[in-house]
Amino acid sequence: MIYVVITGTSRGLGASLAKLFLEKGFHVIGVARNENKALVQIAQEQGVTYQHYTCHLGDTEQVDKVFSIIANQLFNQQTSTVYFIHNAGTVNPIDTVDKHIPEAINKHVHVNLIAPMIGSSIFLMAANKTEIPLTNVYVTSGAAERSVYGWGAYSATKAGLNRYASTVALEQKELGTPHKAIIFDPSIMDTDMQKEIRSSSESSFQDVEKFKAYKRENNLRSTDKVAQVLVDQLSNSSTIENGKYYSVKNLLS
Ligand SMILES: NC(=O)c1ccc[n+]([C@@H]2O[C@H](COP(=O)([O-])OP(=O)(O)OC[C@H]3O[C@@H](n4cnc5c(N)ncnc54)[C@H](OP(=O)(O)O)[C@@H]3O)[C@@H](O)[C@H]2O)c1
């Protein structure tokens, strides 16, 4: 049995990934603050399982507890492969750094960086007690590679996530384990995150007009289209390249 654990399944890219993996016949476990009931129905129709865990990824205690329960379940049964897709993320606070308050910074870094780090450690520790291969997938953004006015927190956590992912890949290779880590860049998609970006003021986010134009001119990809690219890449675990940066832009062109 192949299991896919996905954070942020209530909407956006995470919801599309969960749906497409279920349709492929993989079991899916979703983690978010809100449950996506439609996924239960899809799982039933496909003869697989969808399990939801409610978790605030900004809360370390909850993250530790929920990921430990899931790892304990997956690495103690007839599992052939586990994929762990660290997809949940937030772009907020959108503003210049001089306006960021400690609480917002704290929550942002926990959701985008600390939760994936804690989850990776818990899963790798559990996987190493078994023969079950684990692939961690880290969902990044082009903002990791460039500075964006108003996205100081987002650029920092996505850059941190990229370096972390590369380190996980390097270590697992050196350790000679079957585990892999890859980075997935979905580019711009039509989701609530884009709505939040478009609703910011020009003084907080200089590029806001450019992002409004993306929507107006129909340049945002659908999450189903983007999710399909990752599902295709993960369909055959032997062809996944440890440490690789998978970019939707390259894979679709
Ligand atoms: N949209 C884009 O154009 C774009 C571009 C580049 C990269 N990305 C990246 O792609 C990923 C998915 O983005 P998206 O556009 O699909 O985002 P989205 O529509 O805003 O959805 C975010 C998901 O993350 C979950 N989430 C957010 N905060 C959470 C928290 N504190 N605890 C638990 N879950 C939380 C949400 O679930 P709940 O609210 O139910 O908790 C939701 O399911 C993110 O990593 C994002 O950085 C997006």
Side-chain angles (χ1 to χ4, degrees), residues 8-14 31-34 55-58 87-89 107 111 139-141 154 158 186-189 191-194 196:
T9 40
S10 58
R11 53 198 157 90
L13 179 62
V31 179
R33 288 167 299 184
N34 299 289
C55 179
H56 188 325
L57 293 168
N87 160 77
K107 185 181 157 207
V111 173
V139 179
T140 190
S141 158
Y154 190 60
K158 290 299 187 184
S187 189
I188 44 172
M189 303 173 287
T191 66
D192 288 354
M193 186 177 279
Q194 285 286 333
E196 287 178 69

Side-chain angles (χ1 to χ4, degrees), residues 11-241:
R11 53 198 157 90
L13 179 62
S16 286
L17 284 168
K19 180 184 73 175
L20 295 177
F21 276 117
L22 289 169
E23 286 173 358
K24 216 171 166 56
F26 294 4
H27 300 277
V28 174
I29 296 178
V31 179
R33 288 167 299 184
N34 299 289
E35 187 169 1
N36 184 339
K37 295 251 168 49
L39 296 172
V40 179
Q41 175 76 25
I42 296 168
Q44 277 166 2
E45 286 161 11
Q46 299 297 323
V48 288
T49 57
Y50 175 74
Q51 277 174 271
H52 168 78
Y53 283 89
T54 300
C55 179
H56 188 325
L57 293 168
D59 181 321
T60 307
E61 241 176 77
Q62 283 186 39
V63 168
D64 184 8
K65 189 172 158 206
V66 167
F67 288 149
S68 297
I69 292 169
I70 298 171
N72 198 37
Q73 177 197 329
L74 295 189
F75 295 105
N76 278 302
Q77 60 180 37
Q78 298 301 316
T79 306
S80 55
T81 300
V82 175
Y83 296 111
F84 191 175
I85 306 179
H86 305 273
N87 160 77
T90 176
V91 67
N92 293 315
I94 300 176
D95 218 330
T96 51
V97 165
D98 54 296
K99 308 270 184 0
H100 292 184
I101 58 167
E103 196 188 334
I105 297 169
N106 191 39
K107 185 181 157 207
H108 177 95
V109 178
H110 270 85
V111 173
N112 283 19
L113 190 56
I114 295 178
M117 289 169 73
I118 292 174
S120 302
S121 294
I122 290 171
F123 271 50
L124 281 165
M125 223 179 276
N128 278 335
K129 293 181 187 141
T130 72
E131 303 283 303
I132 302 166
L134 165 68
T135 295
N136 278 289
V137 179
Y138 301 91
V139 179
T140 190
S141 158
E145 303 296 331
R146 63 196 170 93
S147 297
V148 180
Y149 184 105
W151 283 6
Y154 190 60
S155 295
T157 51
K158 290 299 187 184
L161 196 64
N162 285 5
R163 177 57 56 205
Y164 180 78
S166 305
T167 309
V168 174
L170 169 85
E171 287 176 356
Q172 296 310 308
K173 179 175 161 249
E174 294 296 321
L175 289 166
T177 73
H179 312 312
K180 297 177 186 174
I182 64 167
I183 300 168
F184 180 66
D185 181 352
S187 189
I188 44 172
M189 303 173 287
D190 199 0
T191 66
D192 288 354
M193 186 177 279
Q194 285 286 333
K195 262 188 220 159
E196 287 178 69
I197 294 167
R198 287 194 300 276
S199 71
S200 48
S201 67
E202 203 165 345
S203 60
S204 305
F205 179 52
Q206 265 182 355
D207 287 344
V208 68
E209 283 308 321
K210 188 167 96 185
F211 278 72
K212 284 180 183 169
Y214 286 151
K215 175 69 177 170
R216 212 169 41 239
E217 291 161 16
N218 225 7
N219 286 328
L220 299 174
R221 290 191 183 90
S222 80
T223 53
D224 278 0
K225 188 168 185 179
V226 173
Q228 189 62 57
V229 173
L230 183 59
V231 171
D232 289 346
Q233 295 301 320
L234 298 184
S235 289
N236 183 352
S237 60
S238 64
T239 59
I240 300 166
E241 246 180 85

